[in-house]
Amino acid sequence: MKYLDEYRDAAGAKKLAAQLRRVATRPWTLMEVCGGQTHAIIKFGIDELLPPGIELVHGPGCPVCVTPVEIIDKAIEIARRRGVIFCSFGDMLRVPGSNGDLLSAKADGHDVRIVYSPLDAVRLAAANPDREVVFFAVGFETTAPANAMAVAQAHQRGLKNFSLLVSHVLVPPAIESLMASQRSRVQAFLAAGHVCTIMGVEEYKPLAERFRVPIVVTGFEPLDILQGVLMAVTQLEEGRAEVENQYARSVRPEGNRPAQALIREIFEVADRKWRGIGEIPRSGLRLREPYRMYDAESKFGVASITREEATECISGLIMQGLKKPLDCPAFGTRCTPETPLGATMVSSEGACAAYYRYRRAVNSTT
């Protein structure tokens, strides 16, 4: 297939669903790790095409959703400093911190700007040598190369007024943490294709072997996801636990090695907190020592800020596959995109936002 419409072909979807019904002989629970996949599943009703007993639960694959509240508070603290231009992708502006969000800081007159690339922030720093320019560097392995490139360019240009507020997280340690939990009910994973476009598939093999769990690298269109589910269920039915690549049109086994080398040059692996989940060892990235001058936490003295998560939001349970958005008593009432209790309701990749946008009518009649 060459065109987008072909990956959304209804007849093709029904054919894959029929294959699944022939293959599945018992209930199985699968987790899609990526928030983009979650939105596709809910938007196109893929979960409703599956045979009874084949359940999809939603993982911690939304980068905005897993950014801890204390990082949001640090971002707001920095954005309110005199002379700072605080740059972020738009999704982060409405994520609630302990007391407000970045959009509120902007409304109060502070210079908070939406950019479309970290390199935009580098250009802003070069154009405003009398201001401090900070970029909010969140995301998984997919965004790390661009953020690393921003640091490399700032270094090459000798910019001393540019820095990153880093909150990078890594997918494999999150899968390991989920599978190590006694509460986990996940029996197979659909791994995010774009992450593997950068990192390849090799780092998933030890996880598949250790936990005896199939991991299928999967794309983001309806037929991608249905084929990924079929491949994972087929493995489960045959008693296999392997890493397979459904998204071969984009993912090479070795990934993007120049991008990996750039990440390794600028960042190193570190422990990292995940919003709603807690700290996962070696699940994040931080700037290496030669580049610590670009660390906004140190530059602005906010590294010591810590915060406890609010208890009413159940997004942590949703992102561990233990609950679904419609299980939340606050969904659609006390928690809406306009008045979110957690990031999963405001992020464009958040599971609660997907259900609110595509399933709210169903919920309101039940």
Side-chain angles (χ1 to χ4, degrees), residues 178-223:
L178 287 170
M179 292 309 299
S181 170
Q182 293 185 345
R183 296 194 297 173
S184 176
R185 57 195 190 97
V186 178
Q187 295 165 296
F189 287 93
L190 304 183
H194 48 18
V195 169
C196 297
T197 299
I198 301 296
M199 303 306 293
V201 304
E202 293 298 318
E203 59 187 354
Y204 290 97
K205 290 182 178 177
L207 296 172
E209 293 173 2
R210 176 182 170 191
F211 295 105
R212 294 293 305 159
V213 59
I215 300 175
V216 179
V217 178
T218 307
F220 305 91
E221 293 300 327
L223 265 60

Side-chain angles (χ1 to χ4, degrees), residues 326-356:
L326 299 184
D327 297 327
C328 178
F331 180 88
T333 54
R334 295 189 304 284
C335 184
T336 69
E338 290 73 32
T339 57
L341 294 176
T344 49
M345 183 57 91
V346 289
S347 170
S348 62
E349 293 190 7
C352 296
Y355 278 76
Y356 189 89

